[in-house]
Amino acid sequence: MYQINGYFEASTIKEAIDYLAGNENSQVIAGGTDVLIKTRERKSGYTDKDLVGIMRIPELKGINLDDDGNILIGSTTTFTEVEEDEIILRNIPSLSAACGSVGGPQIRNIGTIGGNVANGATSADSASTLFAMDAVICLEGPEGKREMPIKEFYLGPGKVAMNKGELMTQIKILKENFMCFKGHYIKFSQRKAMDIATLGCSIMVKTTGNKIDELKVAYGVAGPTPIRATEAEAMAKGMEITAENLDLIGEKCLENASARDSWRASKAFRQQLIRELPKRAIKIALGGGE
Amino acid sequence: MLKTINCTVNGRAMELQVDVRESLLDMLRNRLHLTGTKQGCGVGECGACAVLIDGETLDSCIYLAVWADGKDIVSIEGLTGADGSLSDLQQNFVDKGAVQCGFCTPGFVVSATALLEKNPNPSKDEIRRGLSGNLCRCTGYQKILDAVESTADQRRNK
Ligand code: FES
Ligand code: FES
């Protein structure tokens, strides 16, 4: 038995928001792969809650293109659904790979991309790729709807910019942030499955000939929240793709990072990964393979 | 707090009163006495509690019983024939020596059933990936992989 106070199944966004806003003790639950574990561990703030289930709200599910060609991902779309979705595979395969790297099949069949982001973990597999694509988080609450860039959504470890009563409805990826880009995600972990990334690196790169027009490098576990290597990105603009330049880019990526020691890996090892992974990811994204 | 749910378990439609604090694993084992589904870790790490929900493999220990409302659930008991005969996959687990203590076996059979349903011709890597949410402390996995592979082979050659 879980130490839960009550359970409410919301069938519309409005029902969920009304319940969340009207009950101080409420807690959203989607696939439960995060919330139920914390409840099981009796983590403070996760016991005796009135849970609000949102998996049966049809508007929160599925992946669509809007009229402008932007990709809209419903917050309760599962990792498996994102991984196998045609729109995702065709336009942003790196997000498919990122979602496919989460846990194992059972977790991917129920864990949601919205939950992955909403729990605020730096290690979230989907988050670095969403950072690399400057995803927009769409929220709805008692005061109406609002949108914000994903980098403003993350406030600190486990902390996100969501107010009481608010629900994440969608994750939006603007066309200009994936059209003409090639992307790749590398999850560096000790095991191939059922593991949390030692470091995650997702890149998006746009090139003309052998020159970088635009580069985006995002990391998970290189700081308290997912981050972008903005210094390296600025430097990379216009650079020729050579081994020396890739080394320079990798080195520069350290400037935005604040890797730490943990039992999974030392700071020095993570720094080496921070240097190395974007180089590999760029080469693979551009078809160089490794 | 009790809630009434309607679901199908191993082909039988039923109405049940469940506690909102209860997991589907608790419901299967304690209410329906379907004890083939095992609890290992209780936190979604080991897959001993895997069941099919609408055809997908899921860890029932981190699935609330109330979520079963309207779902089609198949536990290990539902994979055997009505007369208790083993499925081809189960028979291969036996024949290949993929069962030692047996605690992980129901979960593996469930996940492998879902895997073969989705992908009847899996490569070795795809089998590994499809079973990566299930842990076994005894067999070293190879014989489990063999059992799944020969099931796929046999079904192809039928
Ligand atoms: S008991 Fe459910 S995953 Fe281990
Ligand atoms: S046979 Fe004992 S845990 Fe797998």
Side-chain angles (χ1 to χ4, degrees), chain A residues 31 33-34 55 61 63 73-85 88 95-117 119 124-127 130 171, chain B residues 56 118 129:
Chain A
T33 55
D34 182 57
M55 291 298 266
K61 266 226 166 295
I63 297 169
I73 306 172
S75 58
T76 64
T77 311
T78 66
F79 294 114
T80 300
E81 287 163 349
V82 177
E83 185 193 355
E84 295 173 356
D85 184 81
I88 301 292
L95 188 63
S96 166
C99 289
S101 76
V102 174
Q106 292 97 305
I107 302 297
R108 291 194 293 271
N109 284 343
I110 193 160
T112 67
I113 190 164
N116 206 215
V117 173
N119 87 1
D125 281 306
S126 67
L130 293 172
I171 298 171
Chain B
E56 288 188 319
K118 200 167 172 177
R129 181 162 193 265

Side-chain angles (χ1 to χ4, degrees), chain B:
Chain B
M1 190 160 83
L2 287 175
K3 273 202 156 80
T4 306
I5 63 164
N6 286 284
C7 59
T8 308
V9 179
N10 298 335
R12 265 182 52 213
M14 48 182 81
E15 183 181 296
L16 289 164
Q17 294 273 324
V18 297
D19 194 302
V20 297
R21 298 169 298 173
E22 192 171 325
S23 68
L24 176 61
L25 177 65
D26 295 333
M27 180 186 111
L28 291 172
R29 291 184 58 91
N30 303 340
R31 285 187 198 275
L32 303 176
H33 308 296
L34 293 170
T35 51
T37 306
K38 305 301 181 200
Q39 167 151 6
C41 64
V43 289
E45 294 274 359
C46 74
C49 65
V51 295
L52 299 177
I53 302 178
D54 290 343
E56 288 188 319
T57 176
L58 286 167
D59 291 332
S60 62
C61 69
I62 49 168
Y63 191 96
L64 293 177
V66 291
W67 290 346
D69 191 30
K71 305 279 183 190
D72 179 21
I73 294 148
V74 178
S75 67
I76 186 70
E77 291 88 349
L79 294 175
T80 52
D83 58 352
S85 60
L86 300 182
S87 71
D88 56 346
L89 177 63
Q90 287 174 306
Q91 190 59 52
N92 274 314
F93 266 68
V94 176
D95 295 346
K96 294 288 170 189
V99 182
Q100 287 188 25
C101 80
F103 198 82
C104 69
T105 312
F108 267 101
V109 171
V110 163
S111 289
T113 299
L115 164 69
L116 291 174
E117 193 60 45
K118 200 167 172 177
N119 180 0
N121 293 308
S123 66
K124 282 195 180 9
D125 276 351
E126 285 166 341
I127 296 176
R128 283 177 184 276
R129 181 162 193 265
L131 300 181
S132 61
N134 292 76
L135 300 183
C136 175
R137 291 277 72 189
C138 306
T139 64
Y141 300 100
Q142 190 52 49
K143 293 183 185 295
I144 295 174
L145 303 173
D146 291 346
V148 177
E149 214 177 356
S150 18
T151 307
D153 286 345
Q154 288 165 8
R155 286 185 188 176
R156 243 194 325 268
N157 297 325
K158 240 204 252 157

Side-chain angles (χ1 to χ4, degrees), chain A residues 16-215:
Chain A
I17 292 171
D18 286 349
Y19 189 93
L20 288 169
N23 181 341
E24 266 305 306
N25 189 43
S26 58
Q27 163 71 44
V28 173
I29 183 164
T33 55
D34 182 57
V35 170
L36 288 179
I37 311 297
K38 288 175 176 158
T39 307
R40 181 79 89 208
E41 287 170 350
R42 300 196 157 70
K43 201 171 163 185
S44 90
Y46 286 89
T47 52
D48 301 309
K49 286 287 176 184
D50 291 306
L51 299 180
V52 186
I54 58 168
M55 291 298 266
R56 292 181 195 229
I57 303 178
E59 302 96 294
L60 298 184
K61 266 226 166 295
I63 297 169
N64 294 293
L65 285 170
D66 70 9
D67 294 342
D68 301 321
N70 306 318
I71 298 174
L72 301 174
I73 306 172
S75 58
T76 64
T77 311
T78 66
F79 294 114
T80 300
E81 287 163 349
V82 177
E83 185 193 355
E84 295 173 356
D85 184 81
E86 275 305 312
I87 296 174
I88 301 292
L89 285 168
R90 199 165 347 108
N91 297 292
I92 41 176
S94 57
L95 188 63
S96 166
C99 289
S101 76
V102 174
Q106 292 97 305
I107 302 297
R108 291 194 293 271
N109 284 343
I110 193 160
T112 67
I113 190 164
N116 206 215
V117 173
N119 87 1
T122 180
S123 55
D125 281 306
S126 67
S128 44
T129 303
L130 293 172
F131 261 69
M133 298 186 301
D134 291 296
V136 175
I137 306 298
C138 307
L139 303 169
E140 198 167 332
E143 260 90 70
K145 299 183 185 185
R146 60 190 184 117
E147 296 186 350
M148 75 177 79
I150 192 165
K151 61 175 184 292
E152 287 167 30
F153 185 70
Y154 278 79
L155 301 176
K159 264 225 200 87
V160 293
M162 235 182 340
N163 300 328
K164 188 78 206 164
E166 269 186 325
L167 196 63
M168 188 196 302
T169 54
Q170 280 179 326
I171 298 171
K172 180 155 76 179
I173 303 173
L174 298 178
K175 188 176 176 183
E176 72 226 38
N177 290 323
F178 64 84
M179 276 297 268
C180 308
F181 277 96
K182 291 197 167 126
H184 190 75
Y185 173 67
I186 297 179
K187 173 177 184 167
F188 194 97
S189 53
Q190 291 164 347
R191 291 182 287 172
K192 280 191 186 158
M194 300 302 286
D195 205 356
I196 290 171
T198 304
L199 197 89
C201 174
S202 195
I203 68 105
M204 295 289 277
V205 62
K206 200 196 275 186
T207 53
T208 312
N210 201 33
K211 269 212 176 78
I212 295 176
D213 295 331
E214 210 173 337
L215 174 70

